[in-house]
Amino acid sequence: MTTRTIGDRRVGAIGLGAMPMSVAGHMPDEEQSIRTIHAALDAGITLIDTADAYTPSHEDVGHNERLVARALSLWGGNTAAVLVATKGGHTRTPGGWDVDGSPAYLRAACDRSLKALGVDSIGLYQHHRPDPKVPYEETIGALKELHDAGKIQFAGISNADPGQIRLAHDILGERLVSVQNEYSPRFRSSEPEIDVCAELGLAFLPWSPLGGIGRTGELRERNSAFIEIADAHGVTPQQVCLAWELARSPVVIPIPGASRPETIVDSAAAASLELSAEELARLG
C-alpha cells in the first residue's frame, strides 16, 4: 500500500476505524472482529484508530482498545510497524455520552488506555472532543505532560476547529501530529481544518469518511457520479469516495470503519485508485 506521514512515521494511506466492532446492536462476535483487523493488516493497513469510549456499554470502557490489543497479539506479522491511535476525553455515561477535558481526567484516562492496550507508551494519543467547561489550553497542556512523561509518543486532537488546531500547535509544537475530524461527501464542513493541517504539516484523519455506520449506501443515493465513476473503474463507490478524499490533500489519511473483513479489504484497495482531474471535478 502507498504510505503517508504522521509525525515521523509512515503509515498506509488508508487506516482502519475500529469503532464499529464495539457498537451495541451492531457489533460482531470477537472472532469476526479479529479476522477483520487481521484482514486490514494483511492488506497493508498500518494505522488502527480506537478510543476508550468505543464500548457497547458505559460499564465496559476500553472494550475496543482491548479488542485491538488482542487482535495484534494474535497476528503473525510485524506489529512494530502498526501505529495504534486511541483517544480520551469523550466519556460514556448510563445515558449516553459526555466530555471531560480536565487534566486530571486525561491523565487517568491515558493510564487506563495504556493498560487496555497492554503497552508502556501509546503510539498516538488524541484528545477526543473539546470540553466547554475546561479551557482548551489546559486540556492540551495535559497532552504535553503525557508526552513529556513518555506515556505517549505522539499527540493528536479531534473534533477541533482551526483556532483550536493553531492553539494546540502553539502549545505542543512537534508533539502534535494529527487532527481527526468528520469528513465525507455528505459532511464537507471540515475543509478549513484540512487546509490548516496542510499548512502546519499535520495529518488529517477523516472519521466516518464513508458517511457513518449504516450510511455508506447514501453514496449511491446522493451523488450518481460516485456510481458512474466506480462502474468505469470496475470498483465500488466506497473506493471512489476514499480515493476522492486522498486526492483532497496529501495530509489526508481516511480511517473507514469496518466490522467485516471484506469491507476493510475493499476500502484498502482505494489507496491504489487514481482519479483523473475530470473525475474529481465531477465529484465536487
Side-chain angles (χ1 to χ4, degrees):
M1 181 183 290
T2 57
T3 61
R4 293 195 167 183
T5 302
I6 299 180
D8 62 2
R9 292 280 298 270
R10 302 291 297 184
V11 299
I14 300 291
L16 168 66
M19 180 182 180
M21 290 176 264
S22 296
V23 175
H26 297 272
M27 56 190 286
D29 59 40
E30 184 176 281
E31 180 182 349
Q32 180 175 317
S33 293
I34 290 174
R35 285 192 289 108
T36 300
I37 295 170
H38 287 180
L41 297 169
D42 292 339
I45 287 175
T46 53
L47 171 65
I48 299 177
D49 181 77
T50 181
D52 60 354
Y54 295 166
T55 169
S57 156
H58 70 282
E59 297 177 338
D60 197 11
V61 171
H63 177 276
N64 199 250
E65 293 173 317
R66 290 188 292 273
L67 177 62
V68 169
R70 176 162 171 73
L72 287 171
S73 73
L74 296 173
W75 187 54
N78 177 23
T79 57
V82 180
L83 178 62
V84 176
T86 192
K87 297 181 283 294
H90 204 183
T91 61
R92 296 301 302 272
T93 67
W97 299 77
D98 201 353
V99 291
D100 190 338
S102 66
Y105 178 80
L106 282 181
R107 286 191 289 267
C110 182
D111 286 344
R112 187 171 59 233
S113 290
L114 285 165
K115 182 177 180 180
L117 292 169
V119 296
D120 296 323
S121 181
I122 294 169
L124 173 57
Y125 192 69
Q126 307 159 101
H127 175 236
H128 203 153
R129 188 174 289 274
D131 181 351
K133 303 183 299 298
V134 179
Y136 200 62
E137 56 269 27
E138 291 185 15
T139 299
I140 301 306
L143 289 183
K144 182 177 183 293
E145 293 174 7
L146 292 171
H147 178 276
D148 293 348
K151 293 186 176 183
I152 67 175
Q153 297 165 34
F154 293 122
I157 54 177
S158 184
N159 301 297
D161 63 32
Q164 290 167 329
I165 296 172
R166 293 187 186 281
L167 176 58
H169 186 260
D170 287 344
I171 295 170
L172 292 168
E174 293 184 353
R175 302 172 185 83
L176 181 68
V177 298
S178 65
V179 175
Q180 184 179 144
N181 281 17
E182 183 175 6
Y183 183 66
S184 71
R186 63 175 289 271
F187 190 93
R188 305 191 186 196
S189 62
S190 288
E191 295 278 356
E193 287 82 1
I194 296 175
D195 292 337
V196 172
C197 285
E199 174 193 338
L200 298 177
L202 306 174
F204 182 86
L205 314 178
W207 59 265
S208 290
L210 299 175
I213 294 175
R215 306 187 72 159
T216 59
E218 289 187 10
L219 284 172
R220 296 180 176 275
E221 300 168 9
R222 296 171 62 91
N223 194 335
S224 62
F226 282 95
I227 303 172
E228 295 162 3
I229 292 170
D231 289 344
H233 285 271
V235 301
T236 62
Q238 286 77 20
Q239 282 189 41
V240 173
C241 175
L242 295 172
W244 168 76
E245 291 171 11
L246 288 170
R248 172 60 176 78
S249 170
V251 303
V252 172
I253 305 173
I255 46 172
S259 59
R260 295 181 296 126
E262 55 269 31
T263 302
I264 195 57
V265 169
D266 181 78
S267 291
S272 59
L273 176 60
E274 293 189 13
L275 302 177
S276 69
E278 179 184 358
E279 289 171 330
L280 291 170
R282 288 176 60 195
L283 295 172

